Amino acid sequence: MVMRDGDVLDVRPGGAPSRAAPEDHGAYHTTAFFLTLYASTLAAWTVYGIVQGDGSLWDFVEGLFNPGASPASQLVGPYEWAFAAAFLATAGLAVAHRRAARTAALFSGCFLLAVSLREAVGLFDAAYRDQYATDPLGGWALATRVLGLVVAVAVLTTMFPAAEHRRRRRAESAPAAPRPAPCARDRRLSRICGVLFLIMGLARLAWTVRDLTTAGMDTARYLRGAVDGSVLGTLNLAASTEFTTLGSVLGFLVLGVLAFRARRDVRGALLVFASVQLYLTVRTVVWLTVTDFFNQSFETPEGALSMATTAFELATMTSAVVLVMGTGAGRGDDVPADDRTP
């Protein structure tokens, strides 16, 4: 493959390097700054919740993996804790100019944008807006929401064109060369991850449809709760169940399709989402263990199916993390240049 890295012409046969081009370093540094800033904000809310709560630091540490251990509810929940860690990890990759940070950052930006838009819809409700004025922490909560929107826009606008810059520079300064063939091993691993994600997404979708069709379920309110922050009725920085449930279904299906096609470098996005879901699944398994649900689950077909789904998700997310870590190892990103931009 022919490409320029500064003033050096690289003709190594293994595909493009795993590091970003020098002209994209500014975008990676900007992304690292904003993601670190928002992760630090979530950490500050977590520390505030620990200080104001009735439990000790050890209670919180235990509550990270045992949902029933924390004596008081936190201002942010496990979804925010997981993404704060993911944001910091992505920022670290961006500082190191690793190209996997690009899709990880784009996925993180899309997640933050979805959260911000949901909150913006909720602000159309007058009663919900009043809570920001009357709640002692309302101003800080609103500032956090605004910061999330700023971070999302900054990350998306800086990282989307990052690959385009390098492609234009290569087209202008390098001699024409045939498109490199993708690494067969990486394509195979990507497609395996895609299949796992699609199966998991369809399983989650089936359970969601089943819950929505249960007698007594207010389906319209549930769906509205996924896109309207005022439905819950209280000011809460933690993501709602409706948002996380439908968001995870959408994430599994979209990333599954992209990974199965194996035409784009989505390793970073896959790793972020799989790691977050793996953490949440481990928390679920711990809760099932401490509540003795394991011994009662097989008493009904529905309980047995639920346990099977949880076990499959645990195995799927673990496998996905391992497979994603194995793609591109030691060879760089062996994906055609024209197919890298999500």
Side-chain angles (χ1 to χ4, degrees), residues 1 21 23 32 39 48 78 84 92 96 98 102 131 149 176 196 212 216 264 280 288 291-292 326:
M1 179 176 181
E23 59 267 31
Y48 180 83
R98 306 297 298 186
R102 181 172 179 268
Q131 292 187 47
L149 178 60
L196 293 176
L212 292 178
R264 295 176 173 86
L280 296 174
L288 294 176
T291 57
D292 201 31

Side-chain angles (χ1 to χ4, degrees), residues 114-115 117-122 128 145 212 217-234 236 238-247:
V115 172
L117 292 178
R118 177 179 180 272
E119 194 66 17
V121 172
Y128 188 65
R145 297 300 193 188
L212 292 178
M217 168 63 74
D218 189 345
T219 303
R221 186 181 187 280
Y222 185 97
L223 296 177
R224 185 186 165 204
V227 297
D228 186 349
S230 67
V231 172
L232 186 61
T234 58
N236 199 337
S240 69
T241 302
E242 297 88 349
F243 177 80
T244 57
T245 299
L246 296 181

Side-chain angles (χ1 to χ4, degrees), residues 6 14-15 29 72 95 104-106 118 134 137 141 149 156 253 268 298 318 322 328:
H29 292 162
V95 170
L106 290 175
R118 177 179 180 272
T134 58
L137 297 176
L149 178 60
L156 293 176
L253 295 179
F298 294 99
T318 304
V322 173

Side-chain angles (χ1 to χ4, degrees), residues 142-224:
L142 183 60
T144 301
R145 297 300 193 188
V146 173
L147 177 62
L149 178 60
V150 171
V151 171
V153 173
V155 169
L156 293 176
T157 54
T158 55
M159 293 304 275
F160 258 123
E164 301 293 337
H165 291 163
R166 187 167 69 180
R167 183 153 56 241
R168 285 197 297 268
R169 178 167 178 167
R170 182 165 61 245
E172 294 170 359
S173 59
R179 286 175 54 182
C183 173
R185 176 178 176 274
D186 285 357
R187 273 188 175 273
R188 183 167 59 252
L189 293 181
S190 180
R191 283 172 175 160
I192 292 174
C193 288
V195 171
L196 293 176
F197 269 54
L198 288 173
I199 294 175
M200 196 63 244
L202 293 175
R204 284 279 189 93
L205 180 61
W207 278 108
T208 302
V209 171
R210 178 261 177 195
D211 292 338
L212 292 178
T213 54
T214 302
M217 168 63 74
D218 189 345
T219 303
R221 186 181 187 280
Y222 185 97
L223 296 177
R224 185 186 165 204

Side-chain angles (χ1 to χ4, degrees), residues 70-101:
S70 181
S73 60
Q74 293 290 321
L75 298 172
V76 292
Y79 223 79
E80 288 72 29
W81 299 333
F83 268 101
F87 293 161
L88 290 176
T90 302
L93 291 175
V95 170
H97 306 144
R98 306 297 298 186
R99 291 194 61 248

Side-chain angles (χ1 to χ4, degrees), residues 52 65 90 106 248 300 334:
Q52 296 298 317
F65 293 95
T90 302
L106 290 175
S248 66
T300 63
D334 301 317

